[in-house]
Amino acid sequence: MNKMKRDLIQSAKVLDFSEDTPALTSLGLVSLDPSLNIKPFAQRLLDTFARLGQPVRLLDPRKADRVLLIGTHDGNPRMSVVEEDLDRDAVGRALPRELVLLKARVDTLPRHTGAWLKNRRVRGYHHVHPQSDGDLERLVRRLTGKAISLVLSGGGARGFAQIGVLRALEEEQVPIDLIGGTSMGAFVGALYTIGWRPDNLMDICKDVWTKSTPIRNLTIPRVSLCSSSRLERAFHDIFGQLRIENLNRAYFCMSSNLTRVRSTLHRKGLLHRCVLASLSIPGLLPPVVHKGELLVDGGLMDNLPVGPMRQLNGGPLIAIDISPRQELRVREKPATGMIGRIREKFGIAPATTHPSMLDILDRTAMLASLKRIEKTKHQIDLYLRPAVEHFDLFAWKSIQELHDIGYEHAKNRIALWRGR
């Protein structure tokens, strides 16, 4: 595994911690609710650190390597007395802080995260059930810079291969702590983040992409060839009113902001709207309008968002790249049959096959991203590129074949990467 510089930029207020992060040896815990007894949680957290081979001590917040602000989803998000005290001087303000919101039940989704983040400068935020080993282990990995992140690229129907990779990752028991994606990778990644397993992903993708055929929803082409109404309805049915900041596991997706001519990193907001923006290929689907600005497919500027993930996590990074690489050319058709012989005899130019309009739109949207991917490969620990280039961008009916290709490609590579 490559040795890589840790570059952590967290979300509530974007803070740059690009310098090397020292080893974590001590924590300061601050209860944001005077009535909240955090001692049981603190003991389980210390036990988890020890079990994972990274023992830490609890110290006064001003003397600790990291400060954890502990609250609950239904608690009052106002600033605590301890936080206000820390903010009174430069030393206190410089202490790295992270927000931990405790869940009452394992199977409930977090709420009100935005209110907790609104006035706090924190490096990151975490949703944890105090009795969940999985949640506690994920928290420890993220705090110690050992979290495993997954990045998924765009690529239309080829994205079904990513479901096969996810199955292989699960079989090899690789814990995924953060997920980021672009376009189709944003959709697959969002489904996996909210808890759907690979079998469920296959069923959902069949319903959305093969049965309802949202991309064939043609409209008067003033802004785009197709309307996004059917696709947005399908996404809303799946994700409802879920917000990215309220997901149990860290997630982001990318879109391209035509108004500001830059990539947009979505770490908060309505999940179904952010995913729709991330895969709205310009010309094919209309831009998503957000506060008067136009958002389109994230693949236009960053189809494999390795850089944004590296800013969030310095641990091992897995990337699944299904970006199209085949050359887009006009090709001659073989001169066969009677028509071919007549063309040859009279010196008529051979017939040609041209790329489709959709192929051209897709490649146009990917021009900048393809170069960016090559520049960021050195930041990836496990680079997975299933051989799916021969599949069409809209080969929705090939979902099982694409899944199988992704699974077979990843299975042995993951085992080898893990040293098995």
Side-chain angles (χ1 to χ4, degrees):
M1 188 185 304
N2 295 331
K3 299 288 185 182
M4 283 175 285
K5 186 179 180 182
R6 293 189 178 103
D7 183 14
L8 303 176
I9 297 180
Q10 305 296 343
S11 67
K13 302 285 185 180
V14 179
L15 307 178
D16 188 353
F17 297 102
S18 57
E19 70 276 4
D20 291 335
T21 303
L24 184 67
T25 61
S26 60
L27 289 173
L29 304 188
V30 176
S31 175
L32 301 180
D33 182 350
S35 65
L36 177 64
N37 179 14
I38 64 172
K39 287 183 179 179
F41 167 73
Q43 188 57 57
R44 285 189 58 84
L45 181 60
L46 290 177
D47 292 343
T48 305
F49 269 100
R51 188 173 69 251
L52 297 182
Q54 186 86 26
V56 297
R57 298 174 298 152
L58 293 184
L59 296 178
D60 178 275
R62 285 186 173 274
K63 299 178 181 179
D65 296 330
R66 195 84 51 86
V67 177
L68 299 188
L69 307 175
I70 315 297
T72 62
H73 292 111
D74 293 324
N76 192 324
R78 67 176 181 269
M79 296 287 286
S80 67
V81 174
V82 177
E83 289 177 282
E84 292 175 349
D85 179 65
L86 290 175
D87 284 340
R88 286 194 176 97
D89 57 77
V91 174
R93 287 192 295 271
L95 289 171
R97 309 176 203 179
E98 307 215 16
L99 177 66
V100 177
L101 295 176
L102 301 181
K103 299 192 299 178
R105 293 175 51 185
V106 175
D107 57 352
T108 57
L109 284 170
R111 298 182 298 172
H112 312 310
T113 309
W116 286 94
L117 294 173
K118 186 175 181 180
N119 296 313
R120 286 182 169 87
R121 290 171 57 85
V122 294
R123 294 172 61 118
Y125 60 95
H126 314 269
H127 301 293
V128 177
H129 188 279
Q131 301 301 318
S132 168
D133 288 341
D135 285 0
L136 289 166
E137 289 171 1
R138 178 176 298 127
L139 175 60
V140 169
R141 286 192 296 270
R142 289 194 62 185
L143 292 175
T144 56
K146 296 178 181 178
I148 300 176
S149 56
L150 176 67
V151 172
L152 304 95
S153 83
R158 307 179 194 101
F160 297 149
Q162 295 172 333
I163 303 175
V165 175
L166 289 172
R167 182 186 299 279
L169 287 168
E170 285 200 349
E171 289 183 0
E172 290 295 323
Q173 299 181 339
V174 178
I176 302 300
D177 300 310
L178 304 92
I179 295 176
T182 295
S183 199
M184 192 64 169
F187 177 68
V188 173
L191 291 174
Y192 194 67
T193 300
I194 66 175
W196 294 109
R197 304 274 65 82
D199 284 341
N200 304 121
L201 295 185
M202 293 289 284
D203 293 336
I204 293 171
C205 286
K206 287 176 184 177
D207 287 341
V208 172
W209 301 104
T210 64
K211 295 180 181 178
S212 63
T213 59
I215 300 299
R216 296 182 183 178
N217 191 18
L218 297 176
T219 186
I220 298 173
R222 292 191 307 165
V223 177
S224 60
L225 294 173
C226 301
S227 166
S228 62
S229 60
R230 193 182 298 174
L231 190 60
E232 183 168 9
R233 198 159 49 243
F235 285 1
H236 188 272
D237 289 343
I238 295 169
F239 301 119
Q241 294 298 112
L242 284 176
R243 298 184 64 84
I244 291 177
E245 65 269 27
N246 287 336
L247 300 180
N248 281 315
R249 182 164 30 190
Y251 168 86
F252 72 82
C253 64
M254 305 296 297
S255 70
S256 300
N257 189 316
L258 294 183
T259 305
R260 297 180 181 270
V261 196
R262 68 184 187 192
S263 291
T264 296
L265 174 72
H266 298 279
R267 292 207 66 205
K268 61 182 180 179
L270 287 171
L271 182 58
H272 78 273
R273 291 284 292 173
C274 294
V275 172
L276 179 64
S278 185
L279 53 69
S280 292
I281 300 175
L284 180 62
L285 293 172
V288 170
V289 180
H290 177 66
K291 296 181 179 179
E293 298 179 355
L294 304 179
L295 305 179
V296 296
D297 196 304
L300 193 69
M301 305 189 77
D302 196 350
N303 199 48
L304 188 67
V306 172
M309 183 61 84
R310 270 288 164 238
Q311 292 175 330
L312 297 172
N313 180 50
L317 190 153
I318 302 169
I320 311 173
D321 185 10
I322 52 165
S323 307
R325 293 290 206 283
Q326 287 184 343
E327 292 183 340
L328 209 59
R329 290 180 177 272
V330 175
R331 304 181 186 280
E332 293 184 1
K333 290 182 178 178
T336 59
M338 181 179 295
I339 299 299
R341 289 194 293 273
I342 292 174
R343 282 181 175 274
E344 286 183 347
K345 183 173 182 178
F346 292 98
I348 301 173
T352 57
T353 58
H354 290 258
S356 70
M357 178 175 63
L358 296 180
D359 287 332
I360 293 172
L361 283 174
D362 180 46
R363 177 51 62 91
T364 302
M366 295 285 293
L367 285 176
S369 282
L370 292 177
K371 291 184 178 180
R372 183 191 292 264
I373 290 172
E374 294 303 318
K375 292 180 179 179
T376 58
K377 275 186 181 179
H378 69 281
Q379 300 181 50
I380 301 170
D381 293 280
L382 177 60
Y383 179 72
L384 299 171
R385 181 167 174 74
V388 294
E389 287 192 344
H390 57 289
F391 287 90
D392 185 78
L393 182 69
F394 303 110
W396 309 120
K397 294 184 179 180
S398 300
I399 181 170
Q400 188 63 53
E401 186 178 357
L402 285 158
H403 164 279
D404 294 346
I405 291 173
Y407 175 82
E408 293 300 329
H409 173 83
K411 184 68 175 176
N412 292 332
R413 288 172 173 82
I414 295 169
L416 182 63
W417 175 63
R418 301 203 80 187
R420 293 184 182 178

